[in-house]
Amino acid sequence: MANELSADVVVVGTGICGSFVAHELAQAGLSVLMLEAGPRRERAQLVENWRNMPPANKAASDYATLYPTVPWALHPQYMPENGYPQVDGPDAHAYRQGILRGVGGTTWHWAASSWRYLPSDIQLHATYGVGRDWAVTYDELEDYYYKAEVEMGVNGPNDTSLKYVAPRKQPFPMEPMPYGPADRRFTEVVATAGYANTPVPQARNSRPYDGRPQCCGNNNCMPICPIGAMYHGVYHTLKAEKLGARVIPNAVVYRIDTNAANEVTAVHYYDPDKVSHKVTAKTFVIAGNGIETPKLLLLAANDRNPNGIANSSDQVGRNMMDHPGILMSFQAAEPIWTGGGSVQMSSITNFRDGDFRREYAAIQIGMNNTAQNLKAGVKALQMGLVGKKLDEEIRRRAACGMDIYVNHDVLANPENRLRLSTTRKDGLGIPFPHITYDVGEYVRKSAVFSRQHLQKIAALFGATEIETTPYFNPNNHIMGGTIGGADPKNSVVDKWMRTHDHKNLFLATGGAMASAGTVNATLSMAALSLRAAAAIKQDMLHG
Amino acid sequence: MESPSLSQDQPTPTPRRRRHLLRLAACLAVAAAGVASAFAQEKTPVATPAAGQVQSDPVKRGQYLAIAADCAACHTVPGSAKLFAGGYAIDSPMGKIYSSNITPSKQYGIGNYTEAEFARAVREGVNAHGTHLYPAMPYPSYAAMTDEDVAALYAYFMQGVQPVDEAAPETRLAFPFNVRASMAGWNLLFLHNQRFAPDASKSAEWNRGKYLVDTLAHCAECHTPRNAMMALEDGAASYSGSQLGSWHAPNITSDAVSGLGGWSDAELAAYLKTGHVAGKAQAAGPMAEAVTNSLQHLTDADVRAIVAYLRTIPAVRTPGQAAPSYAQGKAADTDADTIGLRPMQVNMADMKGEELYANACASCHQSTGEGTRDGFYPSLAHNTAVGGASVDNLVAAILFGVDREAGGKHVLMPGFGPGSEVQALSDAQVASLANYVLQQFGNAALSVTAAHVAELREGGPTPALAKLAGPAVGIAVVIVLALVVLLLARRKRRARH
């Protein structure tokens, strides 16, 4: 049959998780087929798009327009708004996640913060009696964390006496990058009030690494690193292809076939013309990260799995988490000069852990080091200034403007749900994901203190024009929707990311993370995906 | 379920590996230049001995000589801890040539070599079994090595190198290139088996420099053009530059326009030590490898000696060249002409050279082409690669990048060729980008075609002799060579009578 393809392993999704799995398996000599809903993208094209974006989009931090969406694989667009994904609930705004669909996934634009979670983050319930524990322990994950750090090229501080950083057996692959002026000054100023501002581990080259150059501080990590010094998932897509994996872009998986033993036998995808293609394999991996993975599992419900694939527990699409954030901006009394170095180089980690977590959410506080010139320019023009006064005001704001954020640990709550929209469909007729979200009392209680911290920091800088978001904003750290756990009755995947329901179906996604912690989830997603790859290798090569 | 074991996939840092073109043409019976991508040594595997040790200890002296002669570049597999164990694959148009194990392993290396056998291998290209080496081993240059230095090298390889009891893979080339004996004919024609004789009319420094340049560092192997038999063209053409696979080894004669005449002594010394001189040139490709593995480790006195000798190499002017390659071009900013004026989502395929430059190059080299003020990102104007008579080093740098380590600093420009994870460009895109760079910042008289980019991507023009593989042509070549050998042998005999 012309429309039928086959491989040892089919990986659905080519972001960092899918590409890590594909790369490992191709390296092990397995035939790997990667199906990607969105198109291929090229760096120079993205840089060109960004260069030509209107200043208003740039000043509004519109990191989506340069990644044009396609009708068969929608992702969020903001200017104008396309309403993808559909969100509601008390904190709907906090789940408008800026995902990208296409070869390489969302890490085309990110700050590359690559944290390990703390052992207590991973065993939140065991440690503090709240939330849930992961299917794996920190010790079981550590080797995979290190491998992910090596594959991505992570730089970071090796001082494990910092409060709080995860323990490590091996040093970081690279030394940290030097701070720019703003991170230096921020560290000095907040230290006077007892805040420890420490280097963020970053998947960014502080020296030439893996054939890619070192960061030269374009400060353009979001929306696109123009020189390839920052890690993107697409590197592992390309590495997998060099090892023989085949990538089919614009292939939207919509159906999953299962047999009498409830093993997956095939997936079906639509091409952009809605022609259906069937793909068979021995092992299947869904790697659409935290939104598209549960969406597909629900969409692909079949006779044997009427509530959705891998959903006998009814946990698919539940426990949706992120790090609800509060953002404050102000004009400091002195020039700070954000913009030197990468966009996120340091953060305050004093409140990542502590016994208070029994009562309210741990937080990470940090300064966005994104250059202020775009915002400064737009604001100065709005002020009606011209000539020399305009130049001076742009200069003052570019020097003194600061953005400070607080991100909160959110608890797994089964009522925070992703379902298939009943009202909106994409170009192929596939329903939008529809997410209902409430950050919960645990976060709201913590946010009271967060706002006090923000006011204190603003005062340290003699701030004027202080503006703080009255709502929680999203951070694109999507977790929980295919939650991991030991008990098949209340979780979707096991400690190897294998679905409880289908022994040859793995989910390589941050959706398996059962608690959110306070820091970017990407390194954990990548490490968990390496565990999936290890289990698949064990099955297929030694099983 | 079973726990997958991590033991088999414990992570190891991905070795940085470099595509580069082999410094030496891999010659054969009929000698054909082997030029291909291979991986270079990541770091010099031998620590530089202190000057005092070099004076007193023959083993240490030998170690220094091995660095100056860059033995490790070919005799160690890049990234391998097995120093001098050979097995480094030299991809030549005729097939892979593997370097030999030159550790003192008695079974697999040169542990049983006498000093005389060692000397014959180094200077005459014949190993202890009487088998001819392919001149990928630069023995035509090493032939001038002094007995004293050969003795020191021998001492180092026997006493200062750990034996590795492991066989290097055997080289198996296709007919006619597998007829190693035919190298005898080539050697009769092209090997001048004469030791270095100091020129009493010149200073000791000059003589030292000549010895380093001509013999140990074997500079001519790359910088002197080769004849139809792939042997170095001695005499007037010496050091006047040569094609080296995808790269061009420039003219290093004393000519003020085409050679090094316009460089100061300090600039030449800095280039040898770091591979970087602002406003002149940056070492890439095989020269970056020479700096990384060998030249930066030479003593200041030896670097001065090299400079002193280079100054006196008879000038060769490239016909038609009016100005030094580094004097061409000027910084120019076209960013304002393109930014924000095009619609979003212009396709890559439609981008012109200036847009490709803006999107793939300007973030480091700046929209003006001036690079950064500290010179970390070099200026493209006043740059030998952009202003020279050949476009090849510009195109090769775009395709393969720049990779060099000197003074503890690693310089890396990513390649934009096929398989680039940063941004792979097509032949047409590279041509269009290179043409923009030439027009804007360099020698505007030059231009590049996509076909030429394709040729350089594949390792550069194939030497005529390498095209002679195959049974019919091969047999003809062997017959001709046999006649040459016979003729030469007779002539010699007659001369003796």
Side-chain angles (χ1 to χ4, degrees), chain A residues 24 42-45 47-49 51-54 65-66 68 143-144 146-147 150 207-208 210-214 216 218 226-228 235 238-239 242 494 496 498 534-535 537-538 542, chain B residues 1-6 8-14 16 335 338-348 351 355 358-359 363-364 376-377 410-412 414 419-424:
Chain A
E24 287 291 303
E42 295 197 73
R43 183 183 315 276
Q45 172 85 69
V47 176
E48 174 74 2
N49 290 353
R51 282 161 50 83
N52 290 299
M53 273 175 61
T65 299
L66 69 157
D143 287 344
Y144 299 89
Y146 182 63
K147 178 157 178 151
V150 171
R207 59 173 168 84
D210 198 18
R212 293 180 288 109
Q214 71 211 68
C216 65
N218 281 296
I227 67 166
Y235 299 145
L238 298 172
K239 286 177 200 293
K242 285 178 202 165
D494 69 10
W496 297 105
R498 190 194 302 267
K537 274 193 274 187
Q538 177 74 20
H542 313 291
Chain B
M1 61 160 271
E2 280 180 298
S3 300
S5 147
L6 247 196
Q8 283 171 346
D9 53 17
Q10 275 304 318
T12 46
T14 314
R16 270 190 317 274
D335 199 45
T338 56
I339 192 165
L341 297 182
R342 293 157 61 86
M344 278 194 287
Q345 336 303 4
V346 165
N347 286 323
M348 278 281 299
M351 281 187 210
E355 279 97 27
N359 298 319
S363 291
C364 292
F376 184 89
Y377 295 108
H410 185 184
V411 170
L412 185 138
S420 168
E421 289 168 15
V422 172
Q423 175 64 63

Side-chain angles (χ1 to χ4, degrees), chain A residues 218-298:
Chain A
N218 281 296
N219 197 248
N220 211 67
C221 322
M222 292 183 288
I224 178 66
C225 174
I227 67 166
M230 182 171 75
Y231 178 80
H232 308 288
V234 75
Y235 299 145
H236 277 81
T237 326
L238 298 172
K239 286 177 200 293
E241 285 187 281
K242 285 178 202 165
L243 292 170
R246 180 177 168 200
V247 175
I248 303 182
N250 304 309
V252 185
V253 175
Y254 68 97
R255 180 177 144 193
I256 298 174
D257 295 342
T258 51
N259 63 16
N262 220 11
E263 292 164 340
V264 174
T265 55
V267 295
H268 299 251
Y269 72 85
Y270 288 133
D271 63 25
D273 299 323
K274 211 175 175 177
V275 175
S276 187
H277 305 254
K278 180 179 180 183
V279 184
T280 59
K282 299 186 186 89
T283 301
F284 296 81
V285 181
I286 313 286
N289 206 25
I291 289 177
E292 297 303 324
T293 301
K295 178 185 116 179
L296 171 58
L297 295 175
L298 296 175

Side-chain angles (χ1 to χ4, degrees), chain A residues 431-443:
Chain A
F432 278 27
H434 175 184
I435 299 144
T436 305
Y437 194 54
D438 174 359
V439 302
E441 280 308 308
Y442 188 73
V443 169

Side-chain angles (χ1 to χ4, degrees), chain B residues 132-155:
Chain B
H132 282 277
L133 306 178
Y134 297 124
M137 166 77 174
Y139 62 85
S141 291
Y142 292 160
M145 209 179 284
T146 63
D147 292 345
E148 192 192 3
D149 281 357
V150 169
L153 271 176
Y154 181 71

